Amino acid sequence: MAEKKSSMRKPVFAKVDQLRPGTNGHNLVVKVLSSKMVLQKGRPDGPQVHQMRIAECLVGDETGLILFTARNEQVETMKPEATVILRNAKIDMFKGSMRLAVDKWGRVEAAADPATFTVKEDNNLSLVEYELVNIEE
């Protein structure tokens, strides 16, 4: 078992400008520019009441920006000016534009060190509109 542990792959970190529609498995280090709560409601789930929260966060690195959809406990981590590591993130399409999200198979963790890069704010990938085109062979 110890031998298998050492053969695990190291994560490959991507940059925001490398993200494409319909892809997944991305690892990124991003800085949170803004965070806005878009949905907060309680839902009864047995004896305790669970809060369902969704926030839209503008995140980026030195190559560009993208909107990140934070859900439930991810909302606490996504505070403005925080540096965050996103593991196994995926690209969701919403109204023709890209959104970054992390589901139950991924992780959102606060970085130990603040990012040293300056976010490139003039390249927002969420403002680019995509249209799905089916090609018959």
Side-chain angles (χ1 to χ4, degrees):
M1 181 101 171
E3 290 174 29
K4 287 204 181 236
K5 196 84 166 158
S6 64
S7 66
M8 285 179 57
R9 293 185 326 179
K10 293 276 185 206
V12 176
F13 286 90
K15 297 292 181 190
V16 171
D17 68 344
Q18 297 171 328
L19 301 175
R20 299 290 174 255
T23 57
N24 58 19
H26 302 291
N27 296 312
L28 298 128
V29 177
V30 293
K31 188 183 285 186
V32 181
L33 295 182
S34 67
S35 179
K36 183 176 87 174
M37 188 74 69
V38 291
L39 177 69
Q40 182 169 4
K41 66 180 182 181
R43 58 172 199 244
D45 241 12
Q48 70 267 38
V49 177
H50 288 289
Q51 280 276 329
M52 188 170 96
R53 295 175 299 168
I54 297 177
E56 286 184 342
C57 311
L58 195 56
V59 300
D61 61 15
E62 65 269 18
T63 63
L65 299 172
I66 192 164
L67 269 175
F68 176 79
T69 306
R71 298 178 185 279
N72 301 326
E73 63 276 348
Q74 296 173 355
V75 174
E76 279 98 41
T77 311
M78 304 303 286
K79 299 289 183 214
E81 296 302 313
T83 301
V84 179
I85 300 170
L86 305 175
R87 295 189 186 271
N88 202 19
K90 63 179 183 172
I91 299 293
D92 287 334
M93 297 304 290
F94 179 73
K95 294 183 180 176
S97 64
M98 292 195 304
R99 302 281 174 98
L100 194 60
V102 173
D103 59 12
K104 64 181 179 179
W105 305 111
R107 286 176 44 182
V108 176
E109 46 192 54
D113 303 321
T116 57
F117 55 79
T118 305
V119 176
K120 183 176 182 183
E121 297 188 36
D122 61 350
N123 185 21
N124 190 341
L125 296 183
S126 293
L127 296 179
V128 178
E129 197 168 315
Y130 293 87
E131 184 178 349
L132 181 64
V133 179
N134 291 323
I135 301 173
E136 294 185 23
E137 294 182 28

